[in-house]
Amino acid sequence: LGSTFIKELLLICSTEVLGVLIKVNTTFIIPRPATVTPPADMHYDFCKLKPLSTKEALEEQRLLDSIAWPETPSLPSPLSLSSTSHPAHSAFTILPRWGGGQWHIGDKLEVMIQMHDFQGHLKRSGGDVLLARLHNITLGAGVAGQVLDHLNGSYSAIFTLLWEGNAQVQVILVHPSEAVTELRRLNTEHPDRVFFKSQFQLGSVTETTTCNVCLRPTQQPVCNYTDLHTNEPWFCYKPKSLSCDTRISNFKGGYKQKISTMEKLFQSGVNLKVAIPPSGVARVNVLPKQNEVPSSRVGSGPSGYYFQGVWRRLGVTPIHQFNSSSAITQCLKGKTVHMYGDSTMRQWFEYLDAALPDLKAFNMHSQKTIGPLMSLDYKNNILVTYRTHGPPLRSVSVPAIELHYIANELDEVPGGRDTVIVLGIWAHFGTFPIEFFIRRLQTIRRAMVRLLSRAPDTLIVIRTGNPKSLKTFLHASTNSDWYSLQQDKVLRDMFKELNVHLVDAWEMVVAHHLPHELHPQPSIIKNMINVLLSYICPQKGG
């Protein structure tokens, strides 16, 4: 630990002392931080996204094409639900086994889903957001299904049969297609519906102004806090009497109201995360695997599944179960683990902090929900740190000096065989155009490439996003699973060619019987940690 620990302590001390189309030609960026822009008397993009190189712009367009969602008919005003998707009138049907006969482990189960509207009429267009799961609660078994949109009101859900016994199908309508139209409009017209504030202070004078990357142009001058190294943009309206350099904190200001007349599209128990009933039986009985498995018509396999409450990966070395503090300690012995991201990543830090009795928190005089956090097991030479990602952050007040971007943090890590980098960045980006998220990931990826170039044996693990509890229009319009699903697709694509590992939080939450939550429950977190530790300490011979 030696020099690493000393470096961390020096960092602490220094901190204490210091207190969907791309338009490259229209992006607007100011190269210097904490400067004042003149009143807005000329056109510039509402969301001032940073400019891209030609290669990055081509990648961004490719990613946008890959996640393109089916267009739906425009919505009438005032809204009528009569022609919108209605889960209670819709149904799913289990199709016969391909090749006939009984179901066996290894088969692909195909379920046909037919959507109807509130009048009971067949839907003729696609775009509904559906989640599908196959499960057996008694066996503690579950696997996520792959949903295919046929663009005509019908969908297929494909499951791999992975355990013997009963397997029950569940299909959930997250959003009707018409709700996606509204979610897309909100991100285009109201990306600032979650707004942020900064406090400025000089002596006894204190002022507070609104901040965002999407800051509406007014006659009020703007403080530009674009990061010099990453070019990540962030802006605040300038306080009336104080300078931009007097900013001391950042926090969530609140939510803008009256941005939609389409709240009826987001009703809990009606058309927001509601189960679709079966037409006929909803389960199959699965027999042991046959020597000959018939070829499937469609579908690719899942990344893993639960059995007896334990997550098992498919296609790679099985996950080892770290069921004791001594097993976790042995795995992490001599390791430095840096965690960066949002509160779903902080969950992992808190899990290790609670699971290892010899891992002691170092008091950095920081807020528990934000960090930076540090825990040390001096005897076993284990250091675990956590730091939140840079803005946007829907959080309590954060000292401005603690607003660090992940890419900058990665550039400060020496790396090496005993260094583990763990990232989880997604939950705070849903209300912004997906281009903003793409560009943030591109910045992080460039820093990863630099890190792996100087220290190729550094282990990097990325936690994907996961479905959440959606109960109101506010939840859905700011934390929709559709936003997370789009981000999930982008993240997987962007890092697929880099030497990094994924913890598939999306499938691990979809496949589990517990309710979806922004912060998954402890049994799911334990399985996620087992995946992480299995990357750090792979078991020879499985």
Side-chain angles (χ1 to χ4, degrees):
L1 183 62
S3 61
T4 302
F5 182 51
I6 292 173
K7 182 176 180 181
E8 296 288 350
L9 289 179
L10 289 174
L11 175 62
I12 297 166
C13 292
S14 64
T15 301
E16 290 295 317
V17 172
L18 291 174
V20 180
L21 294 173
I22 58 171
K23 296 182 180 179
V24 177
N25 61 332
T26 60
T27 51
F28 177 80
I29 199 69
I30 303 171
R32 297 183 60 195
T35 55
V36 180
T37 63
D41 55 3
M42 63 183 69
H43 171 75
Y44 59 88
D45 285 354
F46 176 27
C47 286
K48 296 174 280 294
L49 305 181
K50 65 179 182 178
L52 298 177
S53 66
T54 301
K55 182 178 179 181
E56 289 170 333
L58 289 172
E59 178 186 44
E60 181 179 83
Q61 188 58 56
R62 180 184 62 78
L63 290 167
L64 293 175
D65 291 341
S66 72
I67 63 172
W69 204 260
E71 293 291 337
T72 57
S74 57
L75 300 173
S77 183
L79 175 66
S80 170
L81 294 180
S82 60
S83 61
T84 66
S85 302
H86 187 25
H89 288 161
S90 304
F92 70 83
T93 305
I94 297 176
L95 300 184
R97 181 175 182 265
W98 181 246
Q102 295 179 301
W103 297 101
H104 294 264
I105 291 178
D107 286 346
K108 288 292 182 72
L109 177 73
E110 183 174 356
V111 172
M112 183 59 67
I113 307 160
Q114 183 61 60
M115 301 302 298
H116 292 70
D117 62 24
F118 274 71
Q119 302 178 85
H121 299 150
L122 287 172
K123 290 293 294 291
R124 300 297 183 184
S125 59
D128 297 297
V129 184
L130 301 169
L131 295 179
R133 168 170 80 104
L134 195 67
H135 65 103
N136 183 319
I137 294 180
T138 302
L139 295 177
V143 65
Q146 177 192 17
V147 177
L148 306 176
D149 188 344
H150 300 297
L151 305 179
N152 59 4
S154 66
Y155 302 78
S156 294
I158 313 300
F159 303 94
T160 303
L161 300 181
L162 295 164
W163 62 84
E164 187 178 346
N166 286 331
Q168 181 160 341
V169 175
Q170 182 184 48
V171 179
I172 296 174
L173 174 69
V174 178
H175 295 301
S177 58
E178 295 81 8
V180 174
T181 300
E182 182 65 0
L183 290 172
R184 193 156 37 192
R185 183 192 72 82
L186 289 173
N187 270 22
T188 301
E189 299 179 11
H190 298 280
D192 58 341
R193 59 191 180 279
V194 177
F195 60 93
F196 307 87
K197 297 278 190 178
S198 272
Q199 188 177 63
F200 299 76
Q201 182 176 319
L202 182 63
S204 60
V205 179
T206 300
E207 293 185 58
T208 301
T209 70
T210 299
C211 306
N212 216 318
V213 66
C214 298
L215 200 60
R216 293 182 183 269
T218 67
Q219 293 302 307
Q220 187 173 353
V222 172
C223 293
N224 175 22
Y225 297 103
T226 297
D227 184 74
L228 281 174
H229 183 64
T230 65
N231 271 342
E232 294 291 347
W234 193 253
F235 305 91
C236 298
Y237 291 124
K238 183 186 177 300
K240 292 181 180 179
S241 60
L242 298 178
S243 73
C244 295
D245 293 328
T246 60
R247 182 177 67 144
I248 62 171
S249 65
N250 182 86
F251 56 95
K252 184 180 74 175
Y255 302 93
K256 290 192 174 181
Q257 305 296 323
K258 298 181 181 179
I259 58 173
S260 176
T261 59
M262 304 294 173
E263 287 89 346
K264 289 181 180 179
L265 290 170
F266 304 90
Q267 298 180 74
S268 180
V270 178
N271 51 14
L272 177 61
K273 275 213 162 174
V274 178
I276 293 175
S279 174
V281 296
R283 67 180 65 193
V284 297
N285 186 51
V286 185
L287 301 177
K289 186 174 183 178
Q290 289 181 314
N291 292 330
E292 295 293 331
V293 178
S295 60
S296 176
R297 288 172 286 180
V298 288
S300 58
S303 65
Y305 69 105
Y306 288 103
F307 188 73
Q308 296 179 342
V310 172
W311 182 254
R312 304 183 178 196
R313 266 199 316 244
L314 292 171
V316 290
T317 303
I319 298 169
H320 181 61
Q321 299 304 301
F322 296 80
N323 292 324
S324 67
S325 59
S326 59
I328 300 176
T329 297
Q330 188 60 35
C331 174
L332 295 181
K333 194 170 185 177
K335 303 292 185 184
T336 297
V337 183
H338 294 299
M339 297 183 176
Y340 306 101
D342 54 38
S343 58
T344 64
M345 179 53 51
R346 191 187 72 241
Q347 270 191 293
W348 290 17
F349 177 91
E350 292 170 345
Y351 180 94
L352 292 178
D353 213 33
L356 301 180
D358 293 326
L359 195 63
K360 305 297 184 183
F362 186 94
N363 186 2
M364 300 184 70
H365 305 286
S366 59
Q367 294 186 37
K368 182 181 178 181
T369 57
I370 298 300
L373 306 175
M374 177 188 296
S375 289
L376 173 68
D377 178 347
Y378 187 80
K379 176 183 176 182
N380 292 291
N381 201 25
I382 300 171
L383 177 66
V384 184
T385 71
Y386 166 78
R387 180 180 285 279
T388 189
H389 62 71
L393 283 171
R394 304 178 199 170
S395 63
V396 296
S397 183
V398 184
I401 200 170
E402 294 292 2
L403 294 173
H404 293 206
Y405 289 100
I406 291 176
N408 289 340
E409 291 296 303
L410 294 181
D411 282 337
E412 295 296 321
V413 175
R417 62 185 298 271
D418 293 324
T419 300
V420 181
I421 303 295
V422 192
L423 307 179
I425 176 170
W426 60 283
H428 296 259
F429 289 79
T431 54
F432 295 96
I434 191 66
E435 292 91 335
F436 182 46
F437 185 65
I438 289 173
R439 294 168 193 221
R440 180 65 60 89
L441 293 187
Q442 286 175 329
T443 300
I444 293 172
R445 187 179 59 188
R446 286 196 298 271
M448 283 185 183
V449 170
R450 292 190 290 269
L451 172 57
L452 292 173
S453 294
R454 65 179 178 269
D457 48 0
T458 304
L459 178 67
I460 301 178
V461 180
I462 302 176
R463 180 206 192 279
T464 72
N466 57 262
K468 300 171 289 297
S469 172
L470 304 177
K471 297 180 180 178
T472 67
F473 170 71
L474 179 61
H475 291 153
S477 63
T478 57
N479 291 305
S480 170
D481 288 349
W482 182 70
Y483 294 141
S484 302
L485 179 61
Q486 298 291 80
Q487 293 170 345
D488 186 75
K489 293 176 181 177
V490 165
L491 183 143
R492 292 171 191 269
D493 190 298
M494 287 191 65
F495 291 98
K496 65 184 179 183
E497 295 181 359
L498 208 59
N499 184 24
V500 301
H501 302 277
L502 291 183
V503 175
D504 197 337
W506 184 268
E507 284 198 16
M508 294 181 76
V509 170
V510 171
H512 206 280
H513 70 272
L514 288 172
H516 299 170
E517 298 289 348
L518 171 62
H519 301 106
Q521 295 189 36
S523 60
I524 300 177
I525 296 299
K526 180 181 187 299
N527 278 289
M528 291 180 180
I529 294 295
N530 281 335
V531 177
L532 169 65
L533 295 174
S534 295
Y535 284 134
I536 299 172
C537 305
Q539 302 296 302
K540 294 182 179 180

